Amino acid sequence: MKLDLTLPAAETVTGAVAQPVAPLSAKGADLIARTLVEIGIDTVFCYPGGANLEMLDALSRVDIALVRTEHEQGSVFGAQGYARATGKLGVCLATSGPGATNLVTGIADAASDSVPILAITGNVATHWLGKNAFQEVDIVAVTRPVTKLARQVREARDIPAALREAAACALAGRPGPVLLDFPKDIQQARPDQPTDKRFTAPVPAGMSDETAERIAALLAASERPVIYAGGGVIASGTSAQLVALAEALDCPVALTMMGLGAMPDDHPLLLGPLGMHGAHAANVAVNEADLVLALGVRFDDRVIGDPASFARYARIVHVDVDAAEIGKNKPVTLGVHADLRDAFAGLLAHAKRREVPQWHAYLRERRAAHPLRPVQNAGDGAGQDRGDVLTGVDVITALAALLPREAVVTTGVGQHQMWAMQHLRLREPRTFLSSAGFGTMGFGLPAAIGAKVALPNVPVIDIDGDGSLNMSVNELSTCRRYGLGVKVLVINNQWLGMVRQWQDMIYARNRVASSLVDPNAPDAADDGRPYPDFVTIAAGYGVAGARVTRAADLPGALARMLADPGEPYLLDVLVAREDDVYPMIPAGKTYRDVVFGPGQAAGPIAAGAF
């Protein structure tokens, strides 16, 4: 069912004489609108301005829903949420100058997490380019380092071909962002014979049978194998093949944050997420393995820590659609440039079950010794019974128990993001949408809007922090305007929590600029009215909300939040102010340096302990 995004009558300008709609012309803006329809675009997230009004006018006359956000960054994150939740191309539209530059953070975020979006910008007329005209910027030069393709279209006849090429590029191989910039006179021009080329994006060669046999031989010789899988599995739609391969090999699996949902969280071979705040058993597995099969990952620094120490005893086989990632951060034994859809076929054809009972038993022991579980380490405000103080993990665990498996969760960035990664019950791909590689605060709410537009009948919940939500809380207006039933769950500890945690651990508790309490009422967080008051802010946007300060009230409050799927709702939950995220491997350290709680460490884990 397509969501009805027709603006309410209250937004209609009154007092104007109704004019008949002119028939579609062959203006450049109309070519843009028509071509977007032809390539399958049904939604554009936008914000209007002088240099994109021609395009908006044309888009209003075709079968494309226009979702106006409250900031251009909301538009690009809305396009991301749409793309991440569906695998389809997300599209955003901005004006020139500040409108265009407000997209840059979201474009860079999409590049980091391999999200296919098309950013369209208007610009000043071609005869004003390079002359510092009003709201002019060379957005192509600005975004070229963080896009797969960035181009300014200088001839109206090239519009259809440029759009088809950009869309094909965004979706081909390793997905990512592209940008097209249209000067205003190009939007207004009427070309006689527009070109309309079709593009077939190049794909990497499939995995050869010889290579598949070589990988199978390495696996057959392994005593301690592990599969390390990431966002490439989600992007390629090969989650089922990942599960089948793990079962065929009887091989444990560790997932990156971008790979969460690729394997059901209750699968016995899944060790959980790995990395700085990952499951201890997952980090042990990849670091003490003798064979690491890396599928669709990029060996991110938050996963591998010290590159020289990561998986130092293992042969590493890296399969990736992006050849540039192979060997970039970590030397590998065998690099395979292939689409995972082709690679899995070869891997499954040659998979042979390898019985490694001692390896499985060892990893079970590691998991039992240090499971991902709440750590009661928090102190809170005066006057509260510590037994009734909520932690972020309490809140997310309670939410997870209520969500259907198809529910989509977005997050902001910070402690709440890590708790969500650790404690949600993720059983389907494309159900956990988070800014993993770029770590962009403010991502959660606009990404949830994009996901809800794409999937109107699926529950969409933004788990956010008070600091992260404060960067995009204005997008509650977008939820209200279009009747989007996004639920916002605020894990509110009155800090930039992850910043404060690092300051405590590394900078001798010098908490510079990380407190979020009211500077004129430093005890405000203790009286049940945090600063800012998100419930009151939500009401100002016409969105219902409530606040929870006691653990006993949480189940009922969560049930009320989820009760009406069609209405946006904000639940502000005050949690222990100084709760920390554990386990944690300090930056640049190894899994042997893991900290499990305040004043705790892993104990003497010898190199190659298995």
Side-chain angles (χ1 to χ4, degrees), residues 16-392:
V17 177
Q19 298 291 334
V21 177
L24 288 179
S25 68
K27 285 200 300 185
D30 294 312
L31 290 176
I32 293 169
R34 293 176 188 176
T35 307
L36 287 174
V37 171
E38 289 171 5
I39 63 177
I41 303 304
D42 58 18
T43 304
V44 172
F45 300 85
C46 63
Y47 200 90
N52 70 356
L53 291 181
E54 289 280 351
M55 290 184 280
L56 284 168
D57 182 67
L59 287 165
S60 71
R61 295 193 296 271
V62 298
D63 190 20
I64 287 179
L66 296 175
V67 180
R68 195 207 82 195
T69 59
E70 295 306 308
H71 191 282
E72 289 89 356
Q73 187 163 294
S75 293
V76 67
F77 285 142
Q80 272 211 53
Y82 180 100
R84 288 178 188 243
T86 64
K88 295 163 59 177
L89 182 66
V91 181
C92 58
L93 171 65
T95 190
S96 61
T101 56
N102 280 342
L103 298 179
V104 174
T105 296
I107 292 171
D109 189 285
S112 186
D113 284 352
S114 306
V115 181
I117 62 169
L118 166 60
I120 299 173
T121 54
N123 214 326
V124 301
T126 53
H127 59 275
W128 281 111
L129 290 170
K131 298 180 180 179
N132 198 26
F134 177 68
Q135 290 193 336
E136 180 204 354
V137 70
D138 187 351
I139 193 62
V140 171
V142 171
T143 59
R144 187 171 284 124
V146 290
T147 54
K148 294 181 71 178
L149 178 151
R151 174 185 174 189
Q152 185 177 80
V153 180
R154 291 289 193 102
E155 296 287 345
R157 65 174 177 269
D158 295 334
I159 287 172
L163 283 164
R164 293 185 189 281
E165 179 186 22
C169 179
L171 292 163
R174 178 180 179 176
V178 295
L179 177 137
L180 291 180
D181 187 49
F182 295 97
K184 192 160 187 176
D185 57 327
I186 302 304
Q187 300 173 44
Q188 295 169 330
R190 299 173 184 269
D192 292 332
Q193 293 182 322
T195 58
D196 196 7
K197 298 177 183 178
R198 294 323 196 244
F199 289 87
T200 301
V203 295
M207 179 186 288
S208 69
D209 198 58
E210 179 184 359
T211 299
E213 287 181 352
R214 184 179 174 190
I215 296 172
L218 289 170
L219 286 163
S222 170
E223 297 290 340
R224 304 187 304 278
V226 66
I227 295 173
Y228 157 37
V233 175
I234 303 287
S236 60
T238 54
S239 297
Q241 291 92 321
L242 172 65
V243 174
L245 181 64
E247 291 175 348
L249 297 170
D250 192 30
C251 184
V253 178
L255 297 174
T256 68
M257 184 189 296
M258 287 297 298
L260 292 176
M263 194 169 190
D265 77 323
D266 57 353
H267 196 286
L269 290 173
L270 181 61
L271 301 171
L274 78 166
M276 177 177 281
H277 293 293
H280 179 58
N283 284 320
V284 167
V286 294
N287 280 286
E288 296 187 8
D290 62 3
L291 191 287
V292 174
L293 179 57
L295 303 173
V297 297
R298 59 188 182 87
F299 292 84
D300 176 70
D301 62 300
R302 287 296 178 96
V303 168
I304 71 173
D306 174 24
S309 300
F310 179 77
R312 64 190 304 177
Y313 307 103
R315 294 177 175 179
I316 298 175
V317 177
H318 186 188
V319 184
D320 205 279
V321 74
D322 185 356
E325 290 295 342
I326 298 173
K328 184 178 77 174
N329 294 337
K330 177 72 181 180
V332 300
T333 306
L334 176 60
V336 183
H337 179 212
D339 189 300
L340 284 178
R341 284 166 288 202
D342 296 323
F344 271 116
L347 292 170
L348 285 165
H350 294 277
K352 295 179 181 178
R353 189 176 184 88
R354 171 72 168 168
E355 300 296 337
V356 286
Q358 290 180 301
W359 179 232
H360 284 297
Y362 174 65
L363 294 177
R364 284 195 298 270
E365 184 274 327
R366 289 288 85 201
R367 175 185 284 177
H370 297 289
L372 283 176
R373 66 180 185 275
V375 178
Q376 298 299 330
N377 65 303
D380 207 315
Q384 293 197 48
D385 177 6
R386 288 177 60 89
D388 200 39
V389 174
L390 285 161
T391 67

Side-chain angles (χ1 to χ4, degrees), residues 495-516:
W495 290 103
L496 298 176
M498 191 62 81
V499 173
R500 192 270 310 152
Q501 181 172 342
W502 280 51
Q503 288 173 328
D504 287 358
M505 295 182 71
I506 303 170
Y507 299 98
R509 296 177 64 85
N510 186 19
R511 299 172 171 182
V512 181
S514 55
S515 174
L516 298 180

